[in-house]
Amino acid sequence: MQKQSADSEIAEGPFVVAVHVGKEHIFSKQPRNVINLIENYGVEGDAHAGTQDQHLFHMFHIRQYGQQPNLRQIHLIQAEFFEEVSEKGHKVAPGDLGENIATRNIDLIALPTGAQLTIGTGSIVELTGLRNP
């Protein structure tokens, strides 16, 4: 999956602004020109990829209830959010909130669970829930 320039002719519709990968469980992710989405796994090389839940804060729940399926394999955020928080005096850039894909011109918050997005040249991403930054 490759990010697209805001100047391109497709920029009027939804498009990818930035893509990121984080190899460790830290908050921010590193920018990339291209990421590879792996079906039922997530972003290649990302700490949150995998078939089982990779979030460290769930370790108590894992011990208590056993391993759970990973419903957070790919993190998306709408780039308009960065502008909203900037207007309130916060400096936040793509990748700072741990997202893998920042999009523009699509209201991700309004989409229902189960909505499917075609990203890039044919990757289909199904929304499994909201992520709070």
Side-chain angles (χ1 to χ4, degrees), residues 6-31:
D7 299 335
S8 80
E9 27 183 277
I10 303 176
E12 295 173 14
F15 65 97
V16 172
V17 173
V19 293
H20 298 84
V21 173
K23 294 182 180 186
E24 299 176 39
H25 285 277
I26 57 175
F27 200 66
S28 298
K29 296 183 186 274
Q30 299 302 309

Side-chain angles (χ1 to χ4, degrees), residues 4-130:
Q4 181 176 331
S5 166
D7 299 335
S8 80
E9 27 183 277
I10 303 176
E12 295 173 14
F15 65 97
V16 172
V17 173
V19 293
H20 298 84
V21 173
K23 294 182 180 186
E24 299 176 39
H25 285 277
I26 57 175
F27 200 66
S28 298
K29 296 183 186 274
Q30 299 302 309
R32 299 285 187 262
N33 289 326
V34 176
I35 60 174
N36 185 30
L37 303 182
I38 301 171
E39 186 175 358
N40 296 318
Y41 187 78
V43 178
E44 182 176 34
D46 193 77
H48 293 105
T51 58
Q52 302 297 312
D53 192 345
Q54 301 295 315
H55 290 80
L56 296 179
F57 65 88
H58 288 190
M59 292 310 288
F60 168 78
H61 291 262
I62 292 171
R63 285 194 302 273
Q64 186 81 13
Y65 305 109
Q67 190 62 259
Q68 299 296 310
N70 187 3
L71 299 179
R72 299 176 177 186
Q73 295 173 346
I74 302 169
H75 294 183
L76 298 109
I77 196 166
Q78 53 197 51
E80 292 85 353
F81 176 76
F82 302 126
E83 294 153 11
E84 290 175 29
V85 297
S86 177
E87 291 171 3
K88 296 177 182 176
H90 304 285
K91 183 176 166 84
V92 182
D96 287 352
L97 298 177
E99 77 281 356
N100 299 110
I101 302 171
T103 64
R104 182 167 295 284
N105 297 337
I106 184 167
D107 187 357
L108 295 172
I109 303 297
L111 295 175
T113 299
Q116 295 185 340
L117 305 175
T118 301
I119 299 179
T121 58
S123 295
I124 298 174
V125 174
E126 182 175 333
L127 301 182
T128 58
L130 291 176

